[in-house]
């Protein structure tokens, strides 16, 4: 079983302003990047399920030369909202690291 963390040397989340969360997935090497990209794991539907976002508002950008993927989506709550438990968005990556990466060789 390969997890997302197995393929990435860095997985992080942060705010991109008070209304947007962004996630960075920096792959360990070109093979890892190609495996992640071909797996189809990082989809708008995945982030919609995990973070309650509208899949139409999830932006996924593949950066081939950097062997990285960036995902941005609206924050579930505005930064600093009285119910916001992660003001900087730095804890939001946690549910992603152990996700199993589907084998794309079928």
């Amino acid at each position: 079983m390969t997890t997302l963390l197995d393929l990435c040397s860095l997985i992080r989340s942060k705010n991109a302003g008070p209304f947007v969360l962004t996630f960075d997935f920096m792959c360990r090497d070109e093979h890892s990047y190609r495996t992640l990209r071909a797996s189809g794991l990082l989809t708008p539907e995945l982030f919609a399920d995990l973070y309650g976002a509208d899949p139409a508002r999830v932006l996924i950008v593949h950066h081939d030369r950097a062997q990285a993927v960036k995902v941005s989506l609206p924050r579930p709550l505005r930064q600093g909202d009285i119910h916001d438990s992660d003001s900087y968005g730095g804890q939001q990556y946690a549910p992603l690291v152990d996700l199993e990466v589907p084998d794309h060789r079928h």
Side-chain angles (χ1 to χ4, degrees), residues 12-43:
R12 69 179 174 193
S13 59
K14 59 188 176 182
N15 289 334
F19 305 106
V20 177
L21 277 175
T22 191
F23 298 81
D24 297 319
F25 304 90
M26 306 287 291
C27 292
R28 295 184 185 283
D29 52 34
E30 185 175 349
H31 175 74
S32 296
Y33 175 71
R34 289 181 188 271
T35 300
L36 176 59
R37 188 163 182 168
S39 75
L41 175 66
L42 301 178
T43 64

Side-chain angles (χ1 to χ4, degrees), residues 14 20 34 38 44 50 65 70 78 88-89 94:
K14 59 188 176 182
V20 177
R34 289 181 188 271
L50 290 174
R65 296 189 78 180
K70 181 178 257 324
R78 178 186 60 177
Y88 297 105

Side-chain angles (χ1 to χ4, degrees), residues 3 6 8 22-23 29-30 32 43 58 64 71 87 94:
T3 67
D6 293 330
C8 296
T22 191
F23 298 81
D29 52 34
E30 185 175 349
S32 296
T43 64
V58 176
D64 294 344
V71 178
S87 184

Side-chain angles (χ1 to χ4, degrees), residues 62-84:
H62 294 90
H63 297 278
D64 294 344
R65 296 189 78 180
Q67 300 169 359
V69 182
K70 181 178 257 324
V71 178
S72 297
L73 55 123
R75 284 179 122 265
L77 297 170
R78 178 186 60 177
Q79 180 186 18
D81 185 281
I82 194 165
H83 299 291
D84 183 12

